[in-house]
């Protein structure tokens, strides 16, 4: 029994008795001990001071100790210690949902936990232990107990070695692992002085870099895909393909220098104004159409109603008048309609006056624009005749007063003609009075004929870049032969003034001369004529074959007469006297019996043999007095005629219905057959004349 | 050649201007901006703006009906005068005429 202070410890003991957490055994032991000790409380205090160190000490009473009497001090208090947990609640009441009332729980848990420590010992046969063993590579069953002490050292050594080896490399590591695996003694993480060190590699600091490009420029685009937009795109594509093909072809073939190739118009886009050419032309025509609206309407639609009252006569309605400033002083010497473009006609201007010879002009007018010519060319010498090629309507053959002939190409912009005959290439010495295109010869070269005052009928062929001429016929005054020096007989050249080729029989043509004779010639015979007609007393101004009837031709002359012939008969069928020199005569293209003539007194005479065999059904002054009419041409399609006068002015006139009559007999049968009707008409007339002709005429 | 063409066009325009009743000529390019005009500025701009749209619409109509077709010219006749427009690929020409003058 230790001599320790009683009161305090006793109380403490008591306190500790209640508060300690014994195993039960310990608790009961302590409880017994406390009951024992309690008795000895007072006694030990007072009486038990036999210990050496306690002898000379007086008992100290704590100031707050109860003062008790001895009787009270000796009182026995019985204390029972149970295993009950004094802190456990005694009456726990729980709500029971089953019986829907609060119920006292019966048994209350008396376990009080004073201290808890979790250990880390594993039973060697437990699962976890087995796993650990497997991990560390122990064979089953072996437990490194005895070697623990030993392992401490080699553990640390090994750890160091391994650390060193780690730096060496992976191979070493693997070795060490194997090394590890081979050894029974494995490194185990020593709980006492195991150090594990980790190191971290230097991570490069992450940086983010971004860049942004400038956004592409944007534009809004909107369009409508119409049918024509799509079509245009396709056409362009096609063009490109074709161009590629052509390039391939061109590189393969050589280009032949053909003279008659169409010239390509190269459009320059540098100047804006030039682009407007075409448009300005269109607009000009539109404006003029407005200005001359009434004329245009007349041209199209007007039919003179008064013709019904006028039995047989007709009238000519003046339409446009074509004038150009620069042609003052020049006379219209020739007119020609363009076969292809129905509104285009050519006017040749020159002078008939022998003494006044100056320049000439070649103009082309369109009916759509009467104020200004479409094309105009100035020439050095007066133009006497012109002819437009029937197929290639851009080629124009022109004959000059000075004997030259030229061919113009209307497609080219140049003022110069395509070809000119020069002194070298057979220039004629006399004015060329008529030119006419012929069919292409066998080499497909264009050629035309000309007749001039020096009595030669010349054929010109356009070969590549030049004109080659061939004399076809040399006209000679057949009978009279001038007696030259020493009796040389020189044939007098006759001066041809006009000629015309037969419409169907290609080689047959007629030539009219200044002496008044008409010769029927053939291309085959160069010196001899097939026939001669003693026609007029003065120069023959025009000879024309009938468009329909193969045998009939007409001639007019300055001796005031017009004569109609049948070429098989040497004497004329009809003769008309017009009181004035006849400038020109022309057959109408729509009827075989209608023709028109112009005279120097400014009148136009229209005849229809079907209606009136002796007189004109219309004679009308068309121009002012003192203006001579020089030429006349019928339009191939429209019922209009153009007449040229000696002031350089061309007037267009519309034929009234009476002048355009077609035979009304046997309508249904004959109308579909156009030309034959005309021929039949003429035949009838001729037959009528045959009998009286033989007897009369002179 | 070039100067010839320019001269020709200029002369044609002059002739048009001198025709009876013609009040003015305007040439407009593809964007509707007048290039040349014989009228005063405000009228020109007005005509140009309005007619440009009209021509575009007309042309679109004609070509929509048949893509191989194209507008040749357009005449607008009113009580007081007549406006004639001749379009081309990238520009057009307008002439105002009073035909009854």
């Amino acid at each position: 029994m230790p001599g320790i202070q009683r009161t305090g410890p006793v109380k403490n003991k008591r306190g500790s008795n209640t508060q300690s957490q014994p195993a039960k055994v310990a608790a009961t032991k302590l409880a017994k001990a406390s009951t024992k000790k309690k008795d000895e409380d007072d006694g030990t205090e007072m009486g038990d001071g036999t210990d050496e160190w306690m002898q000379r000490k007086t008992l100290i009473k704590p100031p707050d100790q109860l003062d008790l009497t001895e009787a009270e001090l000796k009182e026995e208090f019985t204390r029972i210690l149970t295993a009950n947990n004094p802190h456990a609640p005694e009456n726990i009441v729980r709500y029971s949902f089953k019986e829907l009332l609060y119920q006292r729980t019966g048994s209350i848990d008396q376990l009080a936990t004073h201290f808890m420590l979790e250990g880390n010992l594993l039973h060697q046969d437990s699962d976890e232990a087995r796993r650990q063993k497997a991990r560390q590579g122990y064979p089953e069953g072996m437990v490194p107990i005895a070697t623990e002490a030993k392992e401490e050292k080699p553990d640390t050594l090994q750890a160091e070695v391994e650390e060193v080896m780690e730096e060496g490399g992976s191979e070493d590591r693997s070795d060490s692992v194997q090394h590890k695996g081979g050894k029974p003694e494995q490194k185990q993480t020593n709980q006492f002085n195991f150090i594990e060190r980790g190191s971290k590699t230097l991570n490069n600091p992450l940086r983010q870099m971004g860049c942004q490009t400038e956004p592409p420029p944007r534009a809004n685009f909107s369009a409508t895909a119409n049918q024509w937009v799509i079509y245009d795109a396709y056409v362009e594509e096609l063009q490109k393909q074709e161009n590629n093909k052509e390039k391939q072809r061109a590189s393969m073939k050589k280009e032949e220098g053909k003279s008659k190739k169409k010239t390509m118009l190269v459009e320059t886009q540098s100047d804006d104004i030039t682009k407007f050419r075409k448009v300005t032309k269109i607009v000009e025509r539109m404006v003029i159409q407005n200005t001359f609206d009434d004329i245009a309407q007349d041209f199209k639609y007007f039919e003179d109603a008064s013709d019904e009252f006028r039995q047989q006569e007709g009238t000519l309605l003046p339409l446009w008048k074509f004038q150009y400033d620069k042609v003052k002083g020049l006379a219209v010497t020739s007119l020609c309609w363009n076969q292809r473009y129905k509104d285009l006609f050519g006017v040749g201007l020159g002078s008939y006056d022998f003494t006044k010879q100056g320049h000439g002009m070649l103009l082309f007018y369109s009916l759509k624009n009467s104020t200004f010519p479409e094309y105009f060319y100035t020439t050095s010498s007066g133009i006497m005749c012109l002819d437009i090629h029937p197929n290639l309507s851009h080629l124009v053959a022109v004959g000059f007063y000075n004997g030259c002939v030229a061919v113009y190409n209307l497609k080219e912009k140049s003022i110069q003609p395509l070809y000119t005959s020069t002194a070298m290439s057979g220039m004629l010495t006399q004015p060329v009075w008529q030119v006419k295109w012929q069919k292409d010869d066998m080499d497909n070269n264009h050629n035309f004929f000309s007749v001039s005052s020096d009595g030669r009928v010349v054929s010109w062929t356009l070969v590549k870049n030049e004109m080659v001429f061939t004399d076809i016929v040399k006209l000679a005054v057949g009978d009279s032969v001038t007696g030259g020096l020493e009796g040389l007989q020189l044939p007098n050249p006759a001066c041809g003034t006009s000629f015309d080729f037969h419409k169907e029989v290609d080689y047959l043509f007629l030539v009219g001369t200044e002496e008044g004779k008409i010769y029927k010639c053939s291309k085959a015979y160069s010196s001899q004529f097939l026939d001669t007609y003693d026609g007029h007393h003065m120069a023959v101004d025009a000879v024309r074959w009938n468009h329909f009837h193969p045998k009939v031709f007409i001639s007019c002359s300055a001796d005031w007469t017009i004569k109609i012939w049948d070429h098989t008969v040497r004497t004329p069928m009809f003769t008309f006297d017009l009181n004035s020199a006849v400038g020109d005569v022309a057959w109408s293209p729509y009827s075989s019996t209608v023709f028109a003539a112009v005279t120097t007194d400014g009148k136009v005479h229209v005849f229809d043999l079907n209606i009136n065999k002796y007189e004109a059904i219309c004679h009308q002054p068309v121009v002012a007095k003192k203006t001579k009419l020089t030429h006349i041409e019928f339009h191939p399609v429209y019922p209009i005629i153009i007449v040229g006068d000696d002031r350089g002015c061309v007037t267009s006139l519309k034929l009234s219905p009476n002048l355009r009559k077609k035979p009304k007999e046997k309508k249904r049968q004959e109308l579909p057959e156009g030309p034959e009707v005309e021929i039949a008409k003429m035949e009838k007339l001729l037959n009528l004349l045959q009998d009286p002709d033989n007897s009369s005429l002179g | 050649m070039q100067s010839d063409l320019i001269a020709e066009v200029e002369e044609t325009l002059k002739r048009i201007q001198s025709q009876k009743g013609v009040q003015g000529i305007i040439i407009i390019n593809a964007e509707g901006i007048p290039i040349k005009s014989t009228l005063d500025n405000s009228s020109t701009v007005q005509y140009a703006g309005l007619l440009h749209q009209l021509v575009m619409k007309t042309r679109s109509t004609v070509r929509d009906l048949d893509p191989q077709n194209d507008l040749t010219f357009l005449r607008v006749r009113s009580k007081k005068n007549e406006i004639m427009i001749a379009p081309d690929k990238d520009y057009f020409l307008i002439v105002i005429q009073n035909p009854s003058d």
Side-chain angles (χ1 to χ4, degrees):
Chain A
M1 305 289 162
I4 40 180
Q5 294 187 352
R6 301 295 147 191
T7 51
V10 171
K11 278 189 184 166
N12 287 340
K13 263 191 190 169
R14 276 192 205 136
S16 69
N17 279 341
T18 53
Q19 290 170 4
S20 72
Q21 40 168 333
K24 276 190 180 178
V25 176
T28 49
K29 271 189 188 169
L30 275 170
K32 281 180 192 172
S34 67
T35 47
K36 268 189 199 173
K37 280 212 180 155
K38 188 223 132 210
D39 285 337
E40 293 170 347
D41 271 349
D42 301 330
T44 49
E45 249 188 26
M46 304 298 274
D48 196 19
T50 51
D51 285 349
E52 284 180 356
W53 55 282
M54 286 291 287
Q55 271 178 359
R56 284 172 196 170
K57 236 183 172 179
T58 52
L59 286 172
I60 303 168
K61 264 192 180 176
D64 55 326
Q65 196 181 49
L66 285 170
D67 281 338
L68 297 169
T69 57
E70 278 205 31
E72 283 175 349
L73 286 170
K74 283 191 180 175
E75 201 179 329
E76 275 189 20
F77 288 94
T78 315
R79 223 171 258 250
I80 302 166
L81 293 173
T82 58
N84 288 348
N85 181 3
H87 291 284
E90 288 169 10
N91 47 350
I92 295 177
V93 176
R94 292 225 159 76
Y95 184 77
S96 160
F97 285 94
K98 189 175 169 190
E99 280 144 51
L100 299 175
L101 37 87
Y102 286 97
Q103 274 186 338
R104 210 168 152 172
T105 29
S107 54
I108 294 167
D109 190 16
Q110 302 291 329
L111 183 69
T113 309
H114 294 283
F115 174 73
M116 197 155 86
L117 172 67
E118 287 195 17
N120 49 9
L121 294 172
L122 299 168
H123 194 269
Q124 67 177 0
D125 290 332
S126 72
D127 280 338
E128 180 59 33
R130 280 206 198 103
R131 265 185 255 136
Q132 278 193 5
K133 277 187 224 168
R135 230 185 295 141
Q136 289 169 3
Y138 283 120
E140 291 256 347
M142 260 194 76
V143 172
I145 301 168
T147 54
E148 259 195 33
K150 261 199 211 169
E151 275 181 354
E152 281 187 24
K153 270 203 176 173
D155 269 348
T156 49
L157 270 177
Q158 235 183 14
E160 286 174 19
V161 166
E162 279 183 11
E163 276 180 19
V164 169
M165 286 169 100
E166 268 177 16
E167 295 173 12
S170 60
E171 288 172 17
D172 290 339
R173 214 175 273 156
S174 62
D175 280 351
S176 68
V177 165
Q178 284 175 3
H179 191 66
K180 252 193 188 177
K183 265 194 180 177
E185 293 175 2
Q186 293 295 318
K187 174 186 171 222
Q188 275 183 317
T189 50
N190 186 347
Q191 289 179 20
F192 302 103
N193 60 356
F194 175 74
I195 300 171
E196 202 171 310
R197 268 178 75 175
S199 66
K200 204 170 160 185
T201 55
L202 184 67
N203 283 340
N204 287 330
L206 291 174
R207 279 189 215 289
Q208 246 190 6
M209 249 182 75
C211 65
Q212 195 178 24
T213 54
E214 251 188 54
R218 286 193 200 170
N220 271 340
F221 172 77
S222 71
T224 321
N226 287 330
Q227 202 181 3
W228 54 272
V229 173
I230 299 168
Y231 175 81
D232 275 349
Y234 271 107
V235 166
E236 250 186 65
E237 194 56 42
L238 200 66
Q239 285 267 329
K240 272 188 205 168
Q241 283 181 10
E242 274 177 17
N243 282 344
N244 287 340
K245 275 191 201 166
E246 273 181 27
K247 276 181 193 167
Q248 285 175 12
R249 264 187 240 150
S251 62
M252 281 168 17
K253 285 189 192 173
K254 274 189 191 174
E255 281 191 26
E256 297 178 24
K258 276 197 177 177
S259 53
K260 284 135 247 152
K261 277 251 165 164
K262 284 187 196 176
T263 52
M264 290 276 291
L265 279 174
V266 177
E267 286 184 38
T268 48
Q269 297 205 342
S270 50
D271 197 324
D272 284 336
I273 282 285
T274 51
K275 282 193 265 178
F276 297 109
R277 273 190 66 239
K278 195 176 155 205
V279 186
T280 48
K281 270 201 172 161
I282 293 175
V283 171
E284 198 189 349
R285 287 187 183 182
M286 286 164 75
V287 169
I288 282 164
Q289 190 185 5
N290 274 347
T291 319
F292 297 110
D293 187 38
D294 43 357
I295 296 179
Q297 300 284 337
D298 283 346
F299 163 70
K300 261 280 172 158
Y301 304 117
F302 180 73
E303 303 290 352
D304 202 344
S306 59
D307 262 12
E308 291 171 33
F309 308 112
R310 257 188 250 153
Q311 280 179 343
Q312 288 171 348
E313 288 179 356
T315 49
L316 297 167
L317 179 73
L319 295 173
W320 296 285
K321 214 168 180 195
F322 300 89
Q323 263 172 336
Y324 188 40
D325 289 340
K326 294 185 191 169
V327 299
K328 279 188 184 152
L330 294 174
V332 172
T333 55
S334 54
L335 298 166
C336 188
W337 284 102
N338 190 317
Q339 299 298 322
R340 193 153 163 233
Y341 298 106
K342 304 278 185 247
D343 60 307
L344 193 66
F345 65 92
V347 181
L349 294 133
S351 174
Y352 281 121
D353 204 341
F354 179 70
T355 50
K356 290 186 206 166
Q357 280 301 320
H359 65 287
M361 280 205 89
L362 179 64
L363 300 176
F364 285 87
Y365 279 101
S366 163
L367 291 179
K368 296 174 190 167
N369 184 348
S370 59
T371 56
F372 197 75
E374 300 289 315
Y375 306 98
F376 62 92
Y377 303 91
T378 317
T379 58
S380 51
S381 157
I383 295 177
M384 301 313 292
C385 55
L386 77 100
D387 191 31
I388 302 178
H389 197 283
N391 296 334
L392 302 171
S393 53
H394 57 94
L395 288 177
V396 180
V398 171
F400 292 99
Y401 196 86
N402 61 2
C404 277
V405 287
V407 176
Y408 282 87
N409 184 345
L410 290 181
K411 283 195 180 176
E412 278 174 18
K413 301 291 166 194
S414 64
I415 309 172
Q416 296 305 311
L418 204 56
Y419 307 94
T420 332
S421 66
T422 57
M424 311 303 284
S425 62
M427 191 176 88
L428 305 151
T429 48
Q430 295 284 325
V432 179
W433 289 100
Q434 192 123 23
V435 285
K436 254 227 157 64
W437 283 102
Q438 299 300 304
K439 286 187 198 155
D440 288 356
D441 65 4
M442 292 200 289
D443 296 330
N444 283 340
N445 292 326
H446 308 298
N447 67 334
F448 63 94
F449 276 60
S450 69
V451 69
S452 82
S453 291
D454 63 357
R456 283 160 56 207
V457 176
V458 183
S459 152
W460 304 85
T461 315
L462 303 174
V463 179
K464 292 208 180 174
N465 291 329
E466 49 178 31
M467 278 200 290
V468 176
F469 79 100
T470 357
D471 269 352
I472 299 295
V473 177
K474 266 217 160 75
L475 306 167
V477 178
D479 304 327
S480 65
V481 169
T482 55
L485 296 167
E486 297 172 357
L488 277 174
Q489 290 184 338
L490 295 166
N492 249 349
C495 311
T497 52
S498 64
F499 71 160
D500 193 21
F501 285 83
H502 198 274
K503 306 287 175 214
E504 285 150 36
V505 183
D506 216 15
Y507 54 82
L508 200 62
F509 64 94
L510 296 164
V511 184
T513 61
E514 259 186 48
E515 291 78 33
K517 290 203 173 30
I518 302 172
Y519 301 107
K520 185 167 76 174
C521 322
S522 159
K523 286 190 200 174
Y525 301 102
S526 57
S527 54
Q528 273 194 338
F529 312 124
L530 295 175
D531 215 343
T532 317
Y533 307 93
D534 231 340
H536 296 270
H537 309 289
M538 290 178 71
V540 176
D541 278 335
V543 216
R544 302 272 180 116
W545 285 100
N546 190 313
H547 289 273
F548 299 100
H549 202 284
K551 289 195 210 165
V552 175
F553 67 89
I554 194 171
S555 70
C556 74
S557 130
D559 66 356
W560 298 6
T561 58
I562 300 177
K563 298 198 176 175
I564 299 180
W565 309 76
D566 180 339
H567 74 96
T568 50
V569 181
R570 283 204 167 193
T571 50
M573 302 275 110
F574 294 95
T575 313
F576 300 97
D577 195 323
L578 292 179
N579 287 334
S580 170
V582 183
D584 197 7
V585 72
W587 287 106
S588 77
Y590 50 83
S591 168
S592 64
T593 53
V594 177
F595 63 91
V598 283
T599 59
T600 46
D601 61 357
K603 278 196 187 169
V604 177
H605 303 255
V606 182
F607 290 81
D608 189 347
L609 297 174
N610 218 11
I611 297 175
N612 190 331
K613 278 187 285 221
Y614 306 106
E615 270 185 346
I617 52 173
C618 166
H619 52 98
Q620 180 175 331
V622 187
V623 287
K625 286 184 192 171
K626 294 192 185 172
T627 318
K628 304 174 197 169
L629 291 175
T630 50
H631 275 277
I632 182 169
E633 280 289 340
F634 275 88
H635 192 282
V637 178
Y638 304 127
I640 60 172
I641 51 173
I642 42 170
V643 283
D645 61 20
D646 68 344
R647 294 250 173 100
C649 180
V650 178
T651 317
S652 61
L653 305 149
K654 185 163 182 182
L655 301 162
S656 70
N658 266 351
L659 304 172
R660 306 185 251 138
K661 268 194 187 154
K662 300 210 168 169
K664 285 180 188 172
E665 322 163 20
K666 299 176 193 174
K667 231 183 198 177
R668 275 155 217 182
Q669 288 176 22
E670 289 179 359
L671 273 176
E673 318 157 74
E676 288 165 16
V677 169
E678 309 295 332
I679 297 173
K681 253 200 310 183
M682 208 61 198
E683 270 302 315
K684 238 191 346 177
L685 286 170
L686 292 174
N687 288 336
L688 282 173
L689 288 172
Q690 285 298 335
D691 304 324
D693 258 356
N694 288 334
S695 52
S696 65
L697 264 195
Chain B
M1 281 285 275
Q2 185 74 355
S3 56
D4 274 349
L5 295 172
I6 299 172
E8 197 188 325
V9 173
E10 293 280 352
E11 215 194 304
T12 315
L13 289 173
K14 258 187 235 160
R15 280 206 312 276
I16 298 173
Q17 180 69 28
S18 63
Q19 283 285 338
K20 191 179 73 164
V22 170
Q23 287 166 356
I25 306 177
I26 308 171
I27 302 180
I28 302 180
N29 75 350
E31 288 138 31
I33 302 168
I35 302 176
K36 197 170 166 158
S37 169
T38 59
L39 297 171
D40 57 283
N41 197 26
S42 55
S43 311
T44 305
V45 169
Q46 201 179 18
Y47 270 106
L50 296 166
L51 291 172
H52 176 69
Q53 296 174 39
L54 182 65
V55 172
M56 287 301 148
K57 190 73 185 173
T58 316
R59 187 186 245 159
S60 180
T61 310
V62 169
R63 293 211 74 199
D64 249 350
L65 294 168
D66 176 12
Q68 290 179 335
N69 206 353
D70 197 6
L71 184 65
T72 319
F73 60 79
L74 184 65
R75 274 183 194 258
V76 181
R77 198 161 227 179
S78 67
K79 281 187 202 163
K80 291 191 185 172
N81 52 17
E82 177 166 352
I83 305 170
M84 288 168 276
I85 308 152
D88 198 73
K89 219 175 163 201
D90 357 81
Y91 52 85
F92 38 97
L93 193 73
I94 301 173
V95 174
I96 305 138
Q97 186 191 22
N98 192 343
S100 57
D101 254 350

